[in-house]
Amino acid sequence: MKGSEVEEETKEAVFSLNELKGKLIHTHRFKLPIEESTRHLIVIDKIAPTPGKYPRKPGVPLKSPLIK
């Protein structure tokens, strides 16, 4: 689940999704019932097994994130 600004985040995730063998299927937009704030639910399909180099050791993702 993501907040109200999801477009930029999904654009940035394209490389990571490809690397981890995922595919963006759909983004559902909805409002929370009590506070009426907008949220998004992102549906990702797993299209192939994750490469053997993942998951990475603790600390490595912070030093070398999956951003190209």
Side-chain angles (χ1 to χ4, degrees):
M1 185 166 71
K2 297 292 181 183
S4 59
E5 303 297 324
V6 72
E7 291 82 16
E8 185 66 30
E9 201 167 339
T10 54
K11 286 179 189 175
E12 292 175 1
V14 170
F15 177 78
S16 298
L17 286 171
N18 288 333
E19 182 73 12
L20 298 172
K21 310 303 180 200
K23 179 181 177 184
L24 178 66
I25 299 296
H26 189 70
T27 302
H28 298 281
R29 181 179 182 204
F30 60 95
K31 285 194 177 270
L32 294 176
I34 296 172
E35 63 183 72
E36 296 187 14
S37 60
T38 302
R39 295 291 188 268
H40 292 85
L41 185 65
I42 299 175
V43 179
I44 297 172
D45 191 21
K46 187 72 171 162
I47 57 175
T50 304
K53 61 182 177 180
Y54 299 104
R56 299 182 292 171
K57 293 180 181 181
V60 173
L62 288 175
K63 293 177 186 172
S64 180
L66 293 181
I67 297 175
K68 192 168 190 180

